[in-house]
Amino acid sequence: MKKIILLTLVSLSIGAMAQNKKYQDAMEKNVAGVDTSRTLEQLQPLENNFERIANAEKKEWLPYYYAAYCNVNMTYAVKGDEIDTYCDKADALVKKADSLSPDNSEIQALKAQIAAARISVNPMARGRKYGSEAAELREKSKKLDPNNPRPWMLEGMSFFYTPSAFGGGKDKAKVSYTKALDLFTAFKPASSIHPRWGRGTTEYFLKQCN
């Protein structure tokens, strides 16, 4: 009887390891394309893949996170109401990630990015509402992890695209981007599939501020 129980436990352990490796391999393959994908044609297949992984691994927050990330990045390739369509999808996915990993700095930063993306539908009408929401989420992200460079990068982007007369400008953006780059230099992701995106964007915009 003991041998049967032991064999069962070993079998279950091997099965779990195989499943974990399958998940890890699938995530690594798709995460590798995150930082270099910019167009709808590049991002949509990635988004589909992350959603499929999320549906198979319902207890993991990272597939939902990356699927949401792909959706918010697709907003930069569309205009008008289509932006809200992608933001709505991103919001639904990031809420699932948030429920699985509450008080997560990376998730709060992504929520800030989604809020900021909604501004571009109508900056005059939406700037105050979503600008304030994005700022609050960035600050929450910073407090949850002071070493996370992404909220600082997103803050720099906010200042960069906000006129000086309204509290933005390149000088303020440069301060935030410089802080972000310092943090990126020291940043070490928790694993090969944890968020690492943003350094290239930070370096690009920091040059534009000089």
Side-chain angles (χ1 to χ4, degrees), residues 6-209:
L6 180 60
L7 287 171
T8 300
L9 291 173
V10 170
S11 178
L12 289 171
S13 177
I14 292 173
M17 288 173 64
Q19 183 64 27
N20 288 340
K21 187 178 187 308
K22 183 178 178 182
Y23 165 72
Q24 185 78 17
D25 289 347
M27 285 294 291
E28 285 181 354
K29 181 179 178 181
N30 288 283
V31 169
V34 165
D35 222 12
T36 56
S37 298
R38 296 288 182 270
T39 66
L40 289 175
E41 291 76 16
Q42 292 171 325
L43 287 164
Q44 190 63 67
L46 277 179
E47 196 275 348
N48 294 340
N49 291 343
F50 283 123
E51 276 208 76
R52 280 195 288 269
I53 297 171
N55 289 331
E57 303 286 346
K58 296 183 183 299
K59 294 183 179 180
E60 301 288 347
W61 67 272
L62 281 166
Y64 291 110
Y65 169 92
Y66 281 114
Y69 176 79
C70 288
N71 272 284
V72 72
N73 277 275
M74 283 190 275
T75 66
Y76 305 135
V78 297
K79 296 180 180 180
D81 292 341
E82 275 193 278
I83 294 172
D84 275 335
T85 299
Y86 285 112
C87 283
D88 289 344
K89 182 71 178 291
D91 269 332
L93 289 161
V94 83
K95 282 178 183 176
K96 291 182 179 179
D98 202 11
S99 69
L100 292 167
S101 183
D103 295 325
N104 184 314
S105 174
E106 298 290 3
I107 291 173
Q108 299 309 311
L110 183 56
K111 288 162 71 175
Q113 187 179 4
I114 297 168
R118 290 190 185 275
I119 297 173
S120 58
V121 175
N122 189 332
M124 292 301 293
R126 293 185 169 193
R128 179 173 294 182
K129 176 184 176 181
Y130 288 110
S132 296
E133 182 179 328
E136 289 175 7
L137 288 164
R138 289 194 302 267
E139 290 307 310
K140 184 175 181 180
S141 177
K142 291 177 188 177
K143 289 178 181 177
L144 288 169
D145 183 1
N147 296 316
N148 185 353
R150 274 162 286 282
W152 289 96
M153 184 208 79
L154 294 170
E155 181 180 86
M157 191 172 293
S158 176
F159 285 139
F160 188 89
Y161 285 109
T162 300
S164 300
F166 294 96
K170 289 186 177 180
D171 288 343
K172 283 190 173 182
K174 183 176 180 179
V175 173
S176 298
Y177 279 131
T178 299
K179 175 67 174 181
L181 188 57
D182 288 343
L183 291 174
F184 271 118
T185 300
F187 182 77
K188 293 182 179 179
S191 77
S192 62
I193 60 175
H194 276 71
R196 64 184 66 225
W197 56 269
R199 178 164 186 154
T201 300
T202 298
E203 291 173 340
Y204 171 81
F205 279 101
L206 193 52
K207 289 180 181 177
Q208 308 308 308
C209 293

